[in-house]
């Protein structure tokens, strides 16, 4: 009865039909023994890596269309916990960094911070450690080169009240893009807290994560309604954990997955 009342998302086609948004990328499912933290960027290879490169290409295409003359501020969230937003943020950072661009990861899920674990860094000190402005932050907080071309700003201690941190997060993000660095923000799930809404005022692209067989259709719709109510710049949906043969992406002997949007981007730049 619950499944009939609250069905789960199953395919990219379903996601596009109920959201009226494009699917930016389909990330293939990992085997349990492949889910390793901290992530080793030297092992970033294969279909899983290529799917994140496809996501990178899709976002680059959207950013060019936005005609902004600086790198983007990308916010990554999901409807509910456990859908893969933090791992997506980290893998996207690697995909962007391997092109030679600098990336700053901001750990802004203050309810359940995990980005520092995924990267292999300390949680403290961090954003919620009593700092007032970006000038107060030392290298203990802005951890340069945790990976090649990737810096991390950890969350600091968990908190259920983060609105006082918004000016600091905004200033860090804006200073980073002025210094020609892409910013990726990992936030709390949209239906768990209002934290993400507080950050929408200064981001360029919002990526919403969904997981086939896990994400409830109604939850995804409610999340997007919240974002639209705040006039958020929604980039699209990323499907995480797509089983082989279930998605629209295709694999040849030497090629990774390609979403329709990344094909558009390739055509546009050819």
């Amino acid at each position: 009865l619950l499944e009939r009342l609250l069905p789960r998302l199953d395919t990219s086609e379903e996601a596009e039909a109920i959201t009226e948004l494009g699917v930016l990328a389909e990330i293939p499912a990992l085997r349990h023994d492949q889910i390793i933290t901290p992530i080793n960027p030297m092992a970033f290879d294969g279909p899983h890596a290529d799917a994140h490169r496809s996501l990178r290409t899709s976002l680059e295409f959207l950013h060019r269309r936005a005609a902004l003359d600086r790198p983007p501020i990308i916010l990554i969230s999901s409807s509910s916990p456990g859908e893969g937003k933090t791992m997506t943020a980290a893998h996207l950072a690697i995909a962007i960094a391997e092109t030679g661009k600098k990336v700053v990861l901001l750990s802004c899920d203050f309810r359940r911070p995990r980005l520092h674990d995924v990267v292999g860094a300390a949680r403290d000190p961090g954003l919620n450690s009593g700092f007032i402005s970006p000038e107060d932050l030392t290298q203990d907080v802005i951890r340069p080169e945790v990976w090649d071309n990737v810096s991390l700003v950890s969350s600091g201690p968990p908190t259920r009240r983060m609105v006082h941190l918004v000016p600091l997060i905004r200033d860090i993000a804006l200073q980073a893009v002025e210094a020609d660095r892409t910013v990726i923000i990992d936030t709390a799930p949209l239906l768990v807290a209002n934290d993400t809404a507080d950050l929408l005022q200064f981001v360029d692209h919002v990526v919403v994560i969904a997981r086939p067989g896990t994400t409830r259709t109604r939850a995804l719709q409610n999340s997007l309604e919240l974002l639209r109510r705040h006039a958020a710049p929604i980039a699209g949906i990323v499907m995480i954990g797509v089983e082989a043969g279930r998605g629209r992406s295709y694999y040849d002997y030497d090629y990774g997955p390609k979403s329709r949007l990344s094909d558009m981007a390739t055509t546009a730049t050819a």
Side-chain angles (χ1 to χ4, degrees):
L1 178 61
L2 180 62
E3 288 302 322
R4 288 200 297 271
L5 294 174
L6 296 171
R8 300 176 193 270
L9 197 65
D10 190 43
T11 66
S12 293
E13 287 78 9
E14 287 182 17
E16 291 183 334
I18 69 168
T19 65
E20 299 181 350
L21 292 169
V23 170
L24 300 173
E26 293 179 327
I27 311 297
L30 291 174
R31 298 191 313 269
H32 183 72
D33 62 327
Q34 294 177 305
I35 305 174
I36 300 171
T37 54
I39 293 172
N40 177 8
M42 300 302 294
F44 188 66
D45 200 6
H48 193 261
D50 283 340
H52 285 90
R53 295 180 183 117
S54 177
L55 173 58
R56 177 194 70 204
T57 302
S58 296
L59 289 169
E60 288 173 346
F61 177 60
L62 289 172
H63 197 61
R64 284 196 297 273
R65 288 179 59 184
L68 295 174
D69 59 353
R70 56 164 177 75
I73 301 173
I74 302 166
L75 184 147
I76 298 183
S77 192
S78 60
S79 301
S80 306
E83 293 178 325
K85 63 179 181 57
T86 301
M87 293 291 281
T88 301
H91 282 118
L92 177 60
I94 297 173
I96 294 172
E98 69 180 8
T99 68
K101 297 177 180 177
K102 300 286 188 180
V103 181
V104 176
L105 278 168
L106 296 183
S107 180
C108 297
D109 183 347
F110 294 99
R111 306 299 179 107
R112 190 182 297 176
R114 286 193 58 245
L115 191 56
H116 61 282
D117 289 331
V118 169
V119 172
R123 188 195 69 189
D124 304 297
L127 292 164
N128 191 34
S129 296
F131 301 100
I132 304 301
S133 69
E135 289 71 27
D136 296 330
L137 305 183
T138 66
Q139 285 197 358
D140 292 334
V141 182
I142 302 180
R143 296 166 176 83
E145 300 293 319
V146 288
W147 297 322
D148 287 347
N149 292 330
V150 179
S151 302
L152 170 72
V153 182
S154 294
S155 65
T159 179
R160 291 182 174 274
R161 295 173 59 88
M162 57 79 66
V163 67
H164 64 287
L165 297 173
V166 172
L168 175 63
I169 297 166
R170 180 195 60 225
D171 289 349
I172 293 171
L174 293 178
Q175 287 188 19
V177 295
E178 287 173 5
D180 204 30
R181 285 162 166 76
T182 295
V183 174
I184 299 175
I185 305 175
D186 178 40
T187 67
L190 287 156
L191 300 184
V192 170
N194 192 58
D195 299 3
T196 299
D198 289 330
L199 301 173
L200 293 174
Q201 57 188 295
F202 58 85
V203 303
D204 301 312
H205 308 289
V206 177
V207 174
V208 180
I209 304 301
R211 182 177 289 273
T214 298
T215 301
R216 299 279 183 185
T217 300
R218 181 67 59 83
L220 181 59
Q221 291 172 318
N222 290 344
S223 297
L224 293 171
E225 181 182 343
L226 184 153
L227 290 172
R228 286 167 174 148
R229 196 160 60 240
H230 288 85
I234 308 170
I237 309 296
V238 173
M239 299 292 283
I240 300 292
V242 177
E243 298 291 343
R246 296 293 302 275
R248 296 182 308 199
S249 301
Y250 58 86
Y251 298 87
D252 287 333
Y253 68 98
D254 196 31
Y255 296 92
K258 295 184 179 180
S259 69
R260 289 187 296 182
L261 187 54
S262 64
D263 284 338
M264 290 168 55
T266 301
T267 301
T269 57

